[in-house]
Amino acid sequence: MTPVNVLQLDGEQIKLAIQKDGRLTEATLQLLRTAGLQFESAKQRLFTVCRNFPLAILYVRDDDIPEYVADGVADLGIVGQNLVREAERPVEELLPLNYGHCTLMVAVPRESHIQSVEHLAGCKIATSYPVTTRQFFQERGINVDITTISGSVELAPTLGVSTAIVDLVSSGSSLKLNDLVPLESVLQSQAALIANPTTFKDEQKSVILNRLLMRLNGVINARSYKYIMMNAPRKALPSIVELAAGMHSPTVLPTADPDWISVHIAVAEDVFWESIEQLRELGAQGILVSPIEKLFI
Ligand code: PRT
Ligand code: ZN
């Protein structure tokens, strides 16, 4: 581990550990900056202090983040849920961040005749996630021999090290490249904000944390919704209100035609296209869609 615990930081800040250089780094920096925080990127730094918010950012290896947060070296961390689960340390997950999505997956060589995880009883499994893998097979009552390897897990079956692997998959191209096929998902993961459980108990830290949470929620909610403006028949209003689920009552403005209204609603991104289809069926016209910069629900 990098010895960040020797850092002398001002006691009035809270400390957030993020990945220094990897898959989560760019999205994490972008999230923090969109939340209005001004700070320098990692480069050769171990840490930086925000210019306009009482937060110090520690740049570390992602594997160390659950450890640092559990030990109180950092109050907060942003890391994949896969590593939190594997570390088995007492940290609190505060907020899923909706990036860094991947699946921890059992996979076998295409030419093998194994068609379900039950067929792996007594077999060798190579993984960098031995704890999570052990729990998965134990819960299924399947006895396997787990070999821990730290990199290039996909090569293990070809090298004769194992019959199957348990590894992270996002696009799946790495599995394909190595002639492996997915068998079953062990864990769905995304980046998350985690905290040392004592952070909320410290009055000063909890005030800062709540301010940070409000900002991060504002950014994440904004990414999850689209703002829709339209003209619609007045009689369609009750059905349109239902589409704006989770939000307060939509904005309704009169138009020159008393039977028509102008309506503004925020619609969840994951049902966006279905909502547009329904709005058109309800007779809505001139539907204008715009992204939301920040959204505080
Ligand atoms: O140097 P440091 O220790 O900080 O980083 P690292 O190299 O250990 O981790 P890094 O940067 O590779 O991943 C950081 C986090 O990103 C992981 O802990 C996951 O939470 C998340 N993540 C999301 C992924 C992937 N997607 C992913 N695809 N982590 C790893 N992969 C691997 C995958 O196992 C495969 O080998 O990327 C390769 C390509 O995947 P496919 O499926 O897109 O081909
Ligand atoms: Zn790592």
Side-chain angles (χ1 to χ4, degrees):
M1 272 201 201
T2 327
V4 289
N5 50 340
V6 298
L7 292 177
Q8 294 301 308
L9 294 173
D10 186 330
E12 287 174 10
Q13 290 137 0
I14 55 172
K15 289 171 268 174
L16 167 70
I18 68 170
Q19 190 182 25
K20 183 178 170 70
D21 183 19
R23 270 166 222 275
L24 301 183
T25 307
E26 201 186 318
T28 300
L29 294 177
Q30 201 197 350
L31 170 69
L32 297 175
R33 292 208 162 105
T34 313
L37 306 180
Q38 294 172 2
F39 56 92
E40 306 303 325
S41 300
K43 298 201 178 103
Q44 295 311 312
R45 290 180 188 84
L46 270 182
F47 80 104
T48 186
V49 176
C50 291
R51 285 191 287 277
N52 60 346
F53 196 85
L55 181 80
I57 299 172
L58 316 183
Y59 297 107
V60 298
R61 293 274 317 267
D62 69 342
D63 313 67
D64 296 337
I65 293 175
E67 212 72 26
Y68 282 149
V69 173
D71 294 345
V73 172
D75 304 294
L76 306 172
I78 292 181
V79 66
Q81 291 165 329
N82 49 306
L83 287 180
V84 178
R85 168 92 182 264
E86 182 68 18
E88 287 191 305
R89 295 300 311 268
V91 295
E92 224 172 287
E93 186 181 319
L94 299 182
L95 188 63
L97 299 172
N98 207 14
Y99 60 86
H101 288 276
C102 55
T103 306
L104 191 62
M105 189 76 92
V106 186
V108 290
R110 188 180 302 281
E111 74 273 13
S112 85
H113 297 294
I114 293 163
Q115 275 165 10
S116 80
V117 289
E118 279 74 22
H119 294 160
L120 289 171
C123 292
K124 262 202 173 159
I125 316 284
T127 186
S128 308
Y129 292 86
V131 173
T132 315
T133 301
R134 186 162 296 113
Q135 283 168 359
F136 172 79
F137 282 101
Q138 258 169 15
E139 277 164 21
R140 302 290 291 265
I142 305 164
N143 200 12
V144 292
D145 179 5
I146 295 167
T147 304
T148 306
I149 47 180
S150 55
S152 304
V153 176
E154 306 96 318
L155 294 177
T158 314
L159 298 174
V161 174
S162 71
T163 309
I165 64 165
V166 171
D167 199 14
L168 292 178
V169 175
S170 50
S171 72
S173 60
S174 180
L175 286 189
K176 266 204 188 103
L177 215 66
N178 289 284
D179 253 330
L180 297 163
V181 287
L183 212 54
E184 197 169 314
S185 155
V186 172
L187 175 77
Q188 300 282 350
S189 175
Q190 60 179 294
L193 178 73
I194 59 169
N196 181 294
T198 64
T199 310
F200 273 117
K201 293 189 186 125
D202 178 311
E203 203 177 320
Q204 201 175 7
K205 283 182 182 176
S206 93
V207 169
I208 302 172
L209 175 53
N210 280 322
R211 287 177 62 203
L212 181 66
L213 273 174
M214 192 267 290
R215 290 181 179 215
L216 295 179
N217 269 312
V219 176
I220 290 163
N221 290 337
R223 288 175 180 171
S224 315
Y225 288 90
K226 289 266 187 283
Y227 195 66
I228 303 182
M229 292 161 270
M230 76 206 92
N231 286 335
R234 187 175 286 280
K235 63 180 177 0
L237 184 59
S239 308
I240 295 175
V241 171
E242 275 176 34
L243 291 179
M247 294 285 151
H248 282 291
S249 167
T251 306
V252 180
L253 303 165
T255 67
D257 182 339
D259 291 334
W260 281 73
I261 47 175
S262 173
V263 190
H264 297 194
I265 58 172
V267 159
E269 179 75 56
D270 52 359
V271 292
F272 171 73
W273 287 108
E274 289 78 2
S275 302
I276 295 292
E277 284 163 17
Q278 287 174 44
L279 288 172
R280 287 172 63 86
E281 277 167 24
L282 289 167
Q285 290 177 6
I287 302 172
L288 195 78
V289 180
S290 56
I292 298 173
E293 162 88 18
K294 308 274 188 306
L295 177 62
F296 303 99
I297 297 174

